[in-house]
Amino acid sequence: MFGLLTAATVVAPQPMVRHFLGYPFEVPSMIAALFAVAITRVIISMRAKSIPKPLDVAVLVLVLSSTAVVVIGSHASIIPAFLWGTGLAGLGEGILKIAEKFVAVGLEKVGIEVPKADTSDEAAIEAAMHTLDQVPD
């Protein structure tokens, strides 16, 4: 009889939370983000046959770790985490340029000037590589 008079409470399901180096993250969000990275990098590497495999693996590791850091740091839910994974995987090596700019701005704020790289050699190398790509097999 007392069971009929008690009110039922509904508890919303909570996602599984784990910790990495003391930082909490939701497991489903992390799985979605890392899955998005893997699939996006596979698609990119299948489209670009000229990427050397060691470089592709290095970029994959960089993107996986960057995505994990962003998901942990932002406490992203599942859809934003998936989009972070896809977007960062699409950037690939571009993450290095973003990090270089971030560090350069930070160093300039404390009064350390970062020397500018001479890109004339890089442009010449890029032009030569483009010319070599035009040569028939």
Side-chain angles (χ1 to χ4, degrees):
M1 177 166 159
F2 290 109
L4 297 175
L5 299 176
T6 59
T9 57
V10 177
V11 177
Q14 296 296 318
M16 185 183 307
V17 175
R18 294 288 184 248
H19 292 79
F20 180 73
L21 299 177
Y23 294 98
F25 65 92
E26 294 180 3
V27 173
S29 297
M30 186 64 73
I31 290 171
L34 298 181
F35 180 75
V37 167
I39 294 301
T40 304
R41 291 307 306 168
V42 164
I43 291 169
I44 289 171
S45 68
M46 302 256 314
R47 285 185 182 167
K49 305 267 188 223
S50 64
I51 300 174
K53 291 299 176 196
L55 176 63
D56 198 34
V57 170
V59 170
L60 175 63
V61 171
L62 174 70
V63 173
L64 284 170
S65 59
S66 299
T67 302
V69 167
V70 169
V71 170
I72 290 172
S74 66
H75 303 288
S77 61
I78 197 162
I79 292 174
F82 184 83
L83 295 175
W84 271 115
T86 305
L88 290 175
L91 284 176
E93 291 178 67
I95 293 173
L96 295 173
K97 296 287 184 200
I98 293 168
E100 287 173 4
K101 183 68 174 173
F102 178 80
V103 170
V105 168
L107 289 175
E108 287 175 2
K109 285 182 180 179
V110 295
I112 300 172
E113 186 172 333
V114 178
K116 303 293 183 207
D118 180 19
T119 59
S120 60
D121 292 337
E122 290 178 15
I125 292 171
E126 185 66 32
M129 293 300 289
H130 180 69
T131 304
L132 287 175
D133 287 343
Q134 302 301 320
V135 176
D137 290 333

